[in-house]
């Protein structure tokens, strides 16, 4: 029975290592620069920021979808409180939702969006960033 926690730890470490291998891009919102890991495949998007316990300052994850549509996010197996910005095809933030760790209630975009950017909870509010703000550097990220 002692090996079971070790197996769980190894699995979590492997998932974190896979996430660390995601490509990154630099995004800008106003004067604020973000280093964002880019999740484009279904597997990358499904794992997202699960099983992590911290994020570096001004780091997050950009989720890229194949088409523009209403999107929903949840926080299953996610330990960091996050804010998610739902972003339209042209890079404008449609809405921002705060999400509590380890919850499965969906947080929806308020319209069709193509991208979602997850940051530490409160990151957008602390910088006065809200709906209508433009995320630069998103074009061409695939």
């Amino acid at each position: 029975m002692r090996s079971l926690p070790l197996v769980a730890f190894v699995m979590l470490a492997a998932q974190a290592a896979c996430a660390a291998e995601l490509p990154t891009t630099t995004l800008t919102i106003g004067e604020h620069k973000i280093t964002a890991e880019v999740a484009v495949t279904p597997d990358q998007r499904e794992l997202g920021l699960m099983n992590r316990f911290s994020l570096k300052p001004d780091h997050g994850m950009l989720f890229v979808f194949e088409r523009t549509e209403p999107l929903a996010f949840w926080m299953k197996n996610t330990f960091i409180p996050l804010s998610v910005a739902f972003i339209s095809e042209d890079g404008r933030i449609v809405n921002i939702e705060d999400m509590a760790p380890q919850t499965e209630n969906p947080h929806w975009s308020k319209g069709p969006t193509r991208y979602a950017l997850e940051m530490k909870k409160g990151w957008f509010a602390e910088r006065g960033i809200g709906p209508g703000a433009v995320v630069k550097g998103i074009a061409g990220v695939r």
Side-chain angles (χ1 to χ4, degrees):
M1 284 296 198
R2 286 181 172 244
S3 64
L4 198 55
L6 178 60
V7 170
F9 174 77
V10 170
M11 289 176 63
L12 286 175
Q15 286 180 334
C18 288
E21 296 174 12
L22 291 176
T24 62
T25 190
T26 300
L27 304 174
T28 306
I29 307 173
E31 62 187 41
H32 306 286
K33 289 201 179 295
I34 299 163
T35 300
E37 295 177 51
V38 181
V40 295
T41 69
D43 287 342
Q44 291 169 340
R45 291 191 306 255
E46 183 179 335
L47 180 59
L49 292 171
M50 285 182 178
N51 304 312
R52 298 200 201 178
F53 295 94
S54 65
L55 276 175
K56 293 178 185 176
D58 299 320
H59 280 64
M61 183 170 284
L62 177 67
F63 297 80
V64 181
F65 292 86
E66 290 82 14
R67 61 189 166 280
T68 300
E69 61 188 345
L71 298 176
F73 277 60
W74 66 351
M75 295 286 285
K76 182 178 180 181
N77 297 323
T78 305
F79 299 96
I80 307 164
L82 298 172
S83 295
V84 59
F86 293 101
I87 305 165
S88 65
E89 181 83 34
D90 67 358
R92 292 198 181 277
I93 296 175
V94 173
N95 64 299
I96 299 170
E97 301 293 323
D98 290 335
M99 303 185 294
Q102 299 190 57
T103 57
E104 295 186 21
N105 52 315
H107 300 272
W108 284 92
S109 62
K110 293 183 177 176
T113 54
R114 175 83 188 274
Y115 309 96
L117 176 61
E118 288 182 339
M119 301 293 290
K120 283 184 183 178
K121 185 176 179 182
W123 188 92
F124 299 101
E126 290 165 5
R127 289 156 181 80
I129 297 169
V134 175
V135 181
K136 293 184 179 176
I138 219 167
V141 176
R142 303 278 181 248

